[in-house]
Amino acid sequence: MSQIRPLIPLLATAGILIGGNGLQGTFIALRGLSEGFSPSTIGLISAGYSLGFAIGCIYVTSLLRKIGHIRAFAALAAISSAASISMALVTHPLFWLAMRFLIGIAVAGLFAIIESWINAQVTNSNRARALSIYRLVDLGSVTLAQYIIPMAGVEGPTVFSLIGMALTLSLVPISLADKSNPAPPNAMKFNPAAVWRISPLAVVGCVAVGLSMAAFRNIGPIYAEQIGMSVTAIATFMSAGIIGGVVLQYPLGAYSDRYDRRIVILATTAGSVITGLFLVLFGGTDEWTNIIGVFVFGAFALPLYSLSSAHGNDHAKEGEHAMVASGLLFFWSLGATIGPLLASVLIDIYGPKALFIYTAAVQVVFIIYTIYRLQMRPGVPVEERNWRFRALLRTSAYFSKLAAQPPKSRDKNDKDAV
C-alpha cells in the first residue's frame, strides 16, 4: 500500500468521474422516456455523446500539450458539469443532443488525462496493483451509480444535480492531495488507415462491439422499462450486464494467448449471439430470467473489445501499439455512434425485443467476417507474438498504454512512457 498510496487521489478522482458518467448513461434513457421522448430520439441523443467522445479522443493529446494536465482537467470537468446541470433546465431533444455531444468530448478528455496521469505515476513494481485497483474502481463505481436512480427517482432535477456534483467533485482529490503535474505526453499517432492495414479483423471487431454494446448500454434501460421492469430492477439489469463482462475476461484472454486468437473471438461471439437470442425468446417472462440472461450476455459480449485489440496488436510492429490503441478506440466510437440510433429505431418499430435481435444480427455478421479472415491470413504463431491479452477499458488509449507498459525499468518522468 505504500507504493499505491500516492495514486489514491488519482484513483479517487477516477472513481467519482466514472460513477457520474456511468450514472448519466442510464438516467438519460429513463428520463427521456418519462419526458415523452421516443426510443429513436433517445438513440439520437446517445449517438451525440459517442460522436463527441470520438472527437475528444482525437484532440485530447494536443490539448494536454498546450495547457497541461491540471488546467485541461479543470476546464473539461467544468464543461461537463455545466452541460449536465443545464439538461435539467431545458427539456428539449435538440438541446440534450448538443449537451451530450459536449459531454462526450469532455469525458473523452477527462479519461485520457486521468489515465495519462496515472501512467506517469506508476512504476513497474506497482503497475499490476494499480491496474487491478483501477478496474475495481471502474466496476464498483458504475455498478453502485446505477442504484442512485431508484433512490433519487427519475423525475425532477435531483439526479442531474448529482451528476454535475460528481463531475465537479472529481477535481477535489487531485487538487488537494496530488501536487504533481506530469510532463505533457508525446503526441500519439492517429492513423486509422494504417490500423486497418495492420488488422482488418481487429477494426471490424471494435466497430461491431461499438454497434452492439453501446446499444445495450444506452438503449438497454429502454428495453428493460418496456418489458415492465421496475426502476430498481432496471438498475440491477444494467449492473448485471456490466459485472458479467468481468467473469470471462481473463479465462478467454488466457486461451487466446495460447491458441489462434481468432478462434477464441469466433467462439466468444457465438456465445454472445446465443445468449442474445435467449433474451429474445425468454426476456420479459420474469425479472430474474432477464437479469441472469444479461449477465451471461455481458460475460461473452464485453470481452470482445479486448480480444479484438489483442489480435490487432499481434500484427503490430514495434512502435505501432499506441497507434493501434488510439485507432481501435476511434473505430469503437464510430460504432458506438451508430449502434444506439439503429437499435432505438428498431425498438420504435418492432418493440423491445428488437434490441437483442439487433445485437445478434451485428455479431452474426462479425462471425461471418471472422471466418472469412481465417481463410485470408494465417494466425500469428504463439512463439512469435510480442503481445499478451489485456482486459481493456474503453476509456482512452492511455489505458492501453498503461496496461501494455513493458516490464523493464524506466525513469518515472520519461515522456515516452506517458
Side-chain angles (χ1 to χ4, degrees):
M1 287 304 299
S2 62
Q3 292 182 330
I4 296 296
R5 191 172 293 117
L7 297 174
I8 289 176
L10 296 173
L11 294 169
T13 292
I16 297 169
L17 173 64
I18 291 168
N21 190 57
L23 168 62
Q24 192 167 48
T26 303
F27 176 70
I28 291 299
L30 295 177
R31 180 59 180 266
L33 287 176
S34 74
E35 295 290 349
F37 297 172
S38 67
S40 55
T41 299
I42 297 170
L44 180 62
I45 293 168
S46 300
Y49 170 84
S50 298
L51 181 61
F53 192 93
I55 293 172
C57 290
I58 297 172
Y59 292 105
V60 63
T61 302
S62 61
L63 180 66
L64 278 172
R65 294 186 65 78
K66 286 179 181 177
I67 64 176
H69 287 68
I70 292 176
R71 286 197 281 183
F73 193 94
L76 294 175
I79 290 170
S80 58
S81 176
S84 299
I85 293 172
S86 69
M87 293 174 72
L89 305 177
V90 181
T91 307
H92 191 280
L94 290 179
F95 183 79
W96 280 24
L97 172 62
M99 292 303 99
R100 287 293 283 165
F101 175 75
L102 282 177
I103 291 168
I105 295 174
V107 166
L110 290 169
F111 281 139
I113 291 165
I114 199 67
E115 288 166 6
S116 169
W117 206 328
I118 292 173
N119 196 25
Q121 297 298 313
V122 298
T123 63
N124 289 323
S125 61
N126 66 9
R127 183 175 301 277
R129 295 184 186 90
L131 283 169
S132 298
I133 294 172
Y134 189 37
R135 291 188 184 103
L136 287 173
V137 166
D138 171 75
L139 180 65
S141 297
V142 174
T143 301
L144 292 175
Q146 306 302 308
Y147 291 96
I148 291 176
I149 300 172
M151 289 190 294
V154 175
E155 304 296 333
T158 303
V159 177
F160 281 120
S161 299
L162 290 173
I163 293 168
M165 289 170 61
L167 293 169
T168 302
L169 288 173
S170 67
L171 279 163
V172 174
I174 56 173
S175 299
L176 294 181
D178 197 312
K179 300 179 179 64
S180 66
N181 186 19
N186 286 337
M188 188 175 289
K189 291 181 181 178
F190 180 73
N191 190 339
V195 176
W196 171 265
R197 289 193 295 270
I198 290 169
S199 178
L201 179 61
V203 169
V204 174
C206 289
V207 171
V209 172
L211 287 168
S212 56
M213 295 314 295
F216 165 71
R217 291 292 294 270
N218 290 282
I219 309 302
I222 300 175
Y223 163 88
E225 194 272 345
Q226 290 193 353
I227 64 172
M229 299 181 88
S230 65
V231 175
T232 302
I234 292 171
T236 303
F237 176 82
M238 297 305 298
S239 298
I242 296 165
I243 295 171
V246 179
V247 175
L248 292 181
Q249 283 265 11
Y250 291 101
L252 290 171
Y255 275 110
S256 74
D257 282 339
R258 297 175 187 174
Y259 307 106
D260 190 330
R261 225 183 284 276
R262 297 170 297 177
I263 300 299
V264 179
I265 290 173
L266 199 61
T268 305
T269 310
S272 181
V273 171
I274 292 168
T275 51
L277 293 177
F278 171 86
L279 287 165
V280 172
L281 295 173
F282 300 104
T285 54
D286 65 83
E287 287 185 355
W288 281 107
T289 298
N290 286 282
I291 290 169
I292 293 170
V294 83
F295 177 87
V296 180
F297 173 77
F300 283 106
L302 285 175
L304 284 170
Y305 180 85
S306 298
L307 289 168
S308 298
S309 176
H311 174 71
N313 280 289
D314 285 341
H315 292 278
K317 298 176 182 177
E318 191 69 29
E320 292 181 334
H321 297 298
M323 179 182 69
V324 169
S326 61
L328 293 181
L329 185 63
F330 174 74
F331 282 115
W332 171 84
S333 299
L334 293 182
T337 301
I338 300 168
L341 184 56
L342 286 177
S344 61
V345 170
L346 291 172
I347 285 180
D348 255 346
I349 299 172
Y350 300 107
K353 291 189 177 182
L355 172 62
F356 289 103
I357 294 175
Y358 162 77
T359 61
V362 170
Q363 290 157 350
V364 166
V365 172
F366 181 45
I367 286 174
I368 295 170
Y369 188 74
T370 304
I371 294 172
Y372 165 73
R373 291 303 303 175
L374 279 166
Q375 313 303 314
M376 296 299 294
R377 180 161 69 169
V380 179
V382 173
E383 62 276 7
E384 295 180 14
R385 295 178 187 173
N386 59 1
W387 192 264
R388 291 178 63 88
F389 174 87
R390 279 99 176 177
L392 300 177
L393 303 179
R394 293 179 295 278
T395 46
S396 82
Y398 288 99
F399 184 83
S400 298
K401 296 187 76 174
L402 178 64
Q405 187 72 11
K408 61 182 180 180
S409 61
R410 64 173 177 86
D411 182 79
K412 180 179 177 181
N413 296 317
D414 182 4
K415 285 188 179 183
D416 290 335
V418 299

